């Protein structure tokens, strides 16, 4: 697979590298060598911050979910296609389409590599609308209106000099006046926002039939996110637009990713995938490929918060320092209170592509599953996504040198060139 160099991104930061590795079947699909810095790219299944409500003041890793299937789920264990995102500049036509769609008149200016590369139209000082377009494999773009055009004030509190009176002591003459922000007027409904979103996507050359929409609207604003379907399967590649007063656009972001067909991989099946979710929830977020993680000792039931912690004697400190360290493959066990278990009942499953990040900066979309949970008391149905790739097709690179742990540096197999491997080089136009 062609080596792709990608700068780090904050919202989509998953990377992947491909090599033949020590695959027992040399004619099979290549092994994905994952970046240890991202936990092997398995972080999709970790609980969201909103899911941690109810953990109270306990430590985050003492909170655990247990997934069980409440109904028979399809196996989904046949082979499925992976995809590769190719780095490169967004075309001038696509950049101009962005400017027209969001009413930006400033020209794009190429950014230096130490500024992240890509192109910027407008100024970040808030005096003009801004459009940024990256040149990484995601080809990420974002739009922000000028700050003074925002429909909701970001500074509801102001300093105001109060006149000293008998009711207002002189020392309190300088007051901080906080005004409750008013909701914007004429915020579009969910249906109206979806119509506006569809028009914007059409202007950007995106086929709306290829998008799965996730929409929301309340008195403060509306937003629509469209997830791209690739060969009919939902992917993490998305475009989002937010709306405020009088249906004005308050923010927008998306990707112009160039997606190419990759190898087909066998899938572990939904039953094994639920086991994988539970394994990761039990403190092993990176799955079986991650080394040196911290395991959780469920036999320890004492409440640390209720147990006084004595000051260690100097001899105790010396003993702790001189204790023989665990081997690199052994995970240390920490005493901690028994985890709070939340039972999650799975009632459905969907095929979904999962983003994996590798040691060389390549970005891959690989087969995965999204498990749908039963609605909770608030009407929320959680979605939990996990990779469907068998363990033998994933390796975690050394955290320091980003070298596959199971492959010596001097014997690591060379990367596969798509010009030589035709199965990895079938281009697919997604959006341009």
């Amino acid at each position: 697979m062609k080596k792709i160099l990608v700068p780090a991104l904050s919202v989509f930061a998953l990377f992947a590298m491909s090599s033949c590795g020590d695959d027992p079947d040399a004619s099979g699909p290549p092994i994905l060598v994952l970046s240890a810095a991202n936990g092997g790219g398995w972080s999709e299944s970790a609980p969201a911050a909103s899911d941690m409500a109810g953990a109270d003041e306990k430590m985050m890793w003492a909170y655990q979910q247990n997934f069980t299937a409440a109904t028979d789920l399809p196996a989904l264990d046949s082979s499925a296609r992976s995809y590769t995102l190719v780095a490169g500049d967004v075309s001038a036509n696509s950049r101009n389409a962005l400017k027209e769609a969001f009413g930006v008149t400033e020209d794009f200016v190429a950014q230096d590599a130490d500024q992240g590369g890509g192109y910027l139209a407008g100024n970040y000082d808030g005096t003009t609308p801004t459009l940024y377009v990256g040149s990484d494999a995601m080809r990420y773009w974002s739009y922000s209106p000028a700050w003074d055009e925002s429909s909701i004030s970001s500074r509801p509190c102001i300093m105001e000099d109060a006149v000293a009176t008998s009711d207002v002591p002189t020392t309190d003459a300088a007051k901080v006046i906080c005004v409750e922000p008013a909701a914007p007027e004429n915020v579009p409904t969910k249906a109206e926002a979806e119509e506006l979103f569809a028009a914007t996507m059409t202007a950007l050359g995106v086929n709306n039939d290829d998008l799965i929409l996730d929409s929301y609207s309340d008195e403060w604003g509306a937003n629509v996110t469209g997830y791209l379907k690739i060969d009919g399967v939902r992917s993490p590649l998305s475009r989002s637009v937010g709306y405020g007063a009088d249906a004005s656009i308050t923010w927008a972001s998306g990707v112009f990713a160039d997606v190419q067909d990759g190898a087909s991989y066998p899938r572990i099946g939904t039953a094994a995938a639920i086991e994988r979710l539970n394994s990761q929830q039990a403190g092993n977020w990176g799955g079986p490929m991650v080394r040196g993680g911290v395991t959780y000792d469920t036999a320890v039931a004492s409440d640390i918060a209720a147990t006084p912690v004595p000051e260690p004697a100097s001899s105790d400190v010396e003993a702790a320092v001189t204790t023989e360290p665990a081997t690199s493959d052994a995970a240390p066990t920490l005493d901690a209170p028994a985890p709070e278990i939340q039972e999650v009942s799975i009632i459905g499953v969907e095929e979904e592509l999962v983003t994996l990040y590798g040691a060389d900066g390549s970005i891959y979309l690989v087969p995965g599953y999204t498990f749908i949970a039963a609605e909770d008391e608030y009407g929320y149905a959680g979605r939990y996504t996990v990779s469907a790739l068998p363990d033998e097709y994933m390796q975690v690179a050394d955290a320091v040198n980003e070298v596959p742990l199971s492959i010596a540096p001097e014997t690591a197999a060379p990367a596969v060139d798509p010009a030589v491997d035709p199965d990895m080089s079938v281009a697919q136009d997604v959006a341009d």
Side-chain angles (χ1 to χ4, degrees):
M1 177 62 65
K2 179 180 178 181
K3 184 174 181 180
I4 306 168
L5 298 178
V6 183
L9 291 174
S10 59
V11 313
F12 295 107
L14 289 169
F15 303 143
M17 176 176 73
S18 172
S19 75
C20 293
D22 54 0
D23 187 351
D25 181 4
S27 63
I31 292 173
L32 300 182
V33 182
L34 309 178
S35 173
N38 290 299
W42 293 50
S43 60
E44 290 89 345
S45 59
S50 60
D51 293 331
M52 298 309 295
D56 297 324
E57 297 179 357
K58 293 188 171 84
M59 291 177 291
M60 294 283 281
W61 59 279
Y63 175 83
Q64 186 175 324
Q65 292 168 306
N66 183 60
F67 300 90
T68 56
T71 185
D72 291 335
L73 300 175
L76 301 180
D77 54 2
S78 60
S79 295
R81 176 69 67 180
S82 67
Y83 304 87
T84 305
L85 306 186
V86 180
D89 282 342
V90 173
S91 69
N93 287 340
S94 292
R95 297 199 302 270
N96 290 333
L98 279 173
K99 289 177 56 177
E100 183 174 351
F102 297 109
V104 175
T105 58
E106 290 78 7
D107 292 332
F108 276 106
V109 177
Q111 303 297 289
D112 294 336
D114 58 0
Q115 295 177 311
Y119 300 87
L120 177 66
N123 300 311
Y124 282 135
D125 61 7
T127 59
T128 67
T130 55
L131 264 174
Y132 173 77
V133 180
S135 58
D136 59 292
M138 282 289 184
R139 304 189 188 194
Y140 172 79
W141 60 264
S142 64
Y143 163 78
S144 296
W147 293 349
D148 58 3
E149 297 176 5
S150 175
S151 60
I152 300 178
S153 172
S154 61
R155 297 182 61 189
C157 295
I158 59 174
M159 289 294 298
E160 188 170 288
D161 292 331
V163 178
T165 67
S166 59
D167 296 328
V168 180
T170 305
T171 55
D172 295 336
K175 295 289 186 180
V176 177
I177 307 300
C178 293
V179 180
E180 190 72 23
E185 298 181 352
N186 302 319
V187 172
T189 65
K190 177 179 175 181
E192 291 169 342
E194 289 181 351
E195 290 183 7
L196 294 168
F197 179 83
T200 299
M201 293 303 104
T202 299
L204 296 180
V206 178
N207 185 349
N208 284 278
D209 291 337
D210 291 336
L211 299 177
I212 297 175
L213 299 187
D214 185 359
S215 309
Y216 178 80
S217 178
D218 63 15
E219 63 176 326
W220 295 99
N223 59 272
V224 182
T225 297
Y227 295 92
L228 180 69
K229 291 185 291 184
I230 302 177
D231 293 336
V233 178
R234 174 171 165 160
S235 80
L237 303 180
S238 65
R239 286 93 172 173
S240 300
V241 181
Y243 302 93
D246 299 320
S248 60
I249 296 178
T250 56
W251 60 272
S253 64
V255 296
F256 276 121
D258 180 9
V259 182
Q260 293 187 355
D261 281 348
S264 290
Y265 287 89
R267 294 184 291 179
I268 61 176
T270 53
I274 289 180
E275 293 180 5
R276 176 174 281 177
L277 270 180
N278 284 322
S279 173
Q280 294 172 15
Q281 286 284 322
N284 188 12
W285 298 111
M289 298 304 301
V290 171
R291 313 295 175 89
V294 176
T295 61
Y296 185 81
D297 185 358
T298 56
V300 178
S302 60
D303 187 349
I304 286 182
T307 303
V309 180
E311 288 292 332
S314 58
S315 59
D316 295 334
V317 175
E318 293 174 0
V321 173
T322 58
T323 300
E324 182 178 350
T327 62
S328 59
D329 289 335
T333 299
L334 300 182
D335 290 345
E340 178 181 338
I341 305 296
Q342 178 194 26
E343 295 294 336
V344 180
S345 180
I346 300 299
I347 60 173
V349 63
E350 298 174 359
E351 296 177 271
E352 184 162 341
L353 294 168
V354 174
T355 316
L356 294 182
Y357 301 113
D360 75 338
S362 302
I363 302 181
Y364 278 66
L365 304 179
V366 302
Y369 309 110
T370 290
F371 292 100
I372 313 301
E375 289 187 358
D376 61 18
E377 58 182 314
Y378 305 104
Y380 173 74
R383 294 173 60 90
Y384 301 89
T385 303
V386 66
S387 168
L389 265 62
D391 292 343
E392 57 265 29
Y393 292 103
M394 294 181 288
Q395 295 176 340
V396 174
D398 177 84
V400 176
N401 300 315
E402 293 289 32
V403 174
L405 292 174
S406 60
I407 306 175
E410 65 273 11
T411 60
V416 178
D417 191 321
V420 178
D421 184 358
D423 289 339
M424 303 295 284
S425 60
V426 181
Q428 175 182 350
D429 294 327
V430 174
D432 197 10

